[in-house]
Amino acid sequence: MMSFFKTAGLFSLLVLSTFYDGSAQSAKQPNFIIILADDLGYGDLSCYGHPTIRTPHLDRMAAEGTRFTQFYVAANVCTPSRAALLTGRLPIRNGIFGKRVVFFTNSANGLPHSEVTLAKALKTKGYQTGLVGKWHLGSRPEYLPLNYGFDSYFGLPYSNDMGKVGSISGSKAAGIPPNTNPPLPLYRDHTVIETEPDQRLLTKRYTDEVLNFISKSQGKPFFMYYASPFPHVPLYASDDFAGKSKRGLYGDVVEELDWSVGQILKKLKDLKLDKNTYVVFLSDNGPWLIKNRLEEEGGSAGPLFEAKGSTYEGGMRVPAIVWGPGLVKANTVSSAVATSMDLFPTILALAKVPLPNDRVLDGQNINDLLTGKKEKVTDLVYYYDSDRLYAIRKGPWKAHFTTHPSYSPEAPVPHEPALLYNLEVDPGERYEVGSKHPEILEDLKKEFEKHRAGVVPVPPLLDAIVEK
């Protein structure tokens, strides 16, 4: 009789655990989708306070998941930021830095093949892996995504302004004369299938590709990295969204991206994959504010100071939402400090993939933040501009050892003593308080030097070009 009750009790616990997780899917390996916006600012979504850009699907994603208010990327521009997201490592450790800032159409290098990407690591556990959208980690054949663990690739190898059509201001800054870029290539796997694609249709085409990937991956665990080219300039929206936002073309583009997110969430629910899939939405860096001076084509950092290209908060603190019904604590606003590099160890832990033990990782497993078990995993943030450590955060305190406004022609300004701000009181970095807290400045200086002493120098990879 006792064995019967023990067996019945065990059965009941199994049934309860299945219902707690939402479905029997929970026993399977989880799926992962990372949706990365390009140059989206901290203040550009309605759930982050924008008054005129409508983002109902991302707002619902936040309501059903966890929205972070102190989430950082590892770099203030896209190439190094993307390298850090996919490897869990600061770009200073693998050479993704240099005077040219990002990879361009004539760049000779790419992400080192010795780096372990999320896709490469997940392949060891049988995951289907796909990339849709912008790569920007090397455009020569040997540096395209299928060489880094991705099974499929559909998208652009670099930014959407690096073709012959549209803005090429970034290319000119890198010493590439106007109209000398090759036509913007659209790849499927290793093959260019179009040049100068109609960018008004890119978000819809990319969405279809993501949805098809999800449908084809049913029955197998999958990882989808959907890296939108927008709202990086030049801005394009389809006819269904053009002219619809009060924020103008920039708002049209963000609202279409929000629609795209909604389609993905709907597909997951329709296929009953939602309760076994983590979806992460974030931006690669802050908004390109200088694009607002004439064209009104840049985003908003909301209450934060400065933008893309700087190590102020507006350059490196980004919107970030994690969704997973039954997996992620719902209707939660987390003020915990976290970074894009945390996604690497977190996802691998959830997929039960061992971490590489032959290299330094800079991310932390933040699953306890996502489930509400902890309120803090780390309190340190390093703010790099290329290979130069400009600032450091510890807890609420941030010390600027060097400052440089985004895209300023003036030289960076060193500070001794460093400038000190309390970010939890003053997220806009308006009130310097170093004279009131010399002991905190001294502690941050020690952390600054400790970190720099632990970084092994490597050569920069962004500056080498292919000679014609």
Side-chain angles (χ1 to χ4, degrees), residues 301-371:
L304 308 178
F305 183 59
E306 259 288 346
K308 171 184 177 179
S310 80
T311 53
Y312 291 103
E313 291 297 288
M316 297 179 65
R317 193 192 299 200
V318 298
I321 304 168
V322 184
W323 178 90
L327 304 171
V328 175
K329 191 174 180 181
N331 197 26
T332 300
V333 178
S334 175
S335 61
V337 170
T339 79
S340 60
M341 294 177 292
D342 297 334
L343 298 178
F344 184 91
T346 304
I347 288 174
L348 294 194
L350 291 168
K352 295 181 171 53
V353 177
L355 292 176
N357 58 11
D358 60 346
R359 64 200 64 209
V360 176
L361 296 176
D362 296 290
Q364 308 291 324
N365 183 345
I366 60 169
N367 190 47
D368 283 346
L369 297 180
L370 301 179
T371 58

Side-chain angles (χ1 to χ4, degrees), residues 136 215 269 305 307 359 409 411 418:
H136 216 174
S215 295
K269 290 187 176 184
F305 183 59
R359 64 200 64 209

Side-chain angles (χ1 to χ4, degrees), residues 368-421:
D368 283 346
L369 297 180
L370 301 179
T371 58
K373 293 179 181 178
K374 290 184 180 179
E375 294 185 355
K376 183 180 80 170
V377 170
T378 185
D379 60 359
L380 285 168
V381 179
Y382 304 104
Y383 301 77
Y384 273 90
D385 184 275
S386 187
D387 60 336
R388 303 173 295 273
L389 183 59
Y390 275 14
I392 185 172
R393 174 177 181 169
K394 185 178 182 181
W397 302 101
K398 180 178 180 181
H400 288 273
F401 295 86
T402 304
T403 55
H404 188 231
S406 59
Y407 298 94
S408 170
E410 304 298 324
V413 178
H415 300 282
E416 180 58 48
L419 306 179
L420 183 68
Y421 297 89

Side-chain angles (χ1 to χ4, degrees), residues 9-26:
L10 179 59
F11 176 78
S12 299
L13 285 173
L14 288 171
V15 171
L16 284 172
S17 66
T18 299
F19 277 108
Y20 176 78
D21 287 331
S23 79
Q25 296 179 72
S26 60

Side-chain angles (χ1 to χ4, degrees), residues 277-289:
T277 303
Y278 292 84
V279 181
V280 183
F281 178 91
L282 72 160
S283 180
D284 64 343
N285 46 246
W288 206 349
L289 281 187

Side-chain angles (χ1 to χ4, degrees), residues 26-43:
S26 60
K28 301 178 181 179
Q29 290 171 283
N31 309 307
F32 305 98
I33 300 175
I34 295 177
I35 304 171
L36 185 69
D38 195 343
D39 289 1
L40 184 77
Y42 184 86

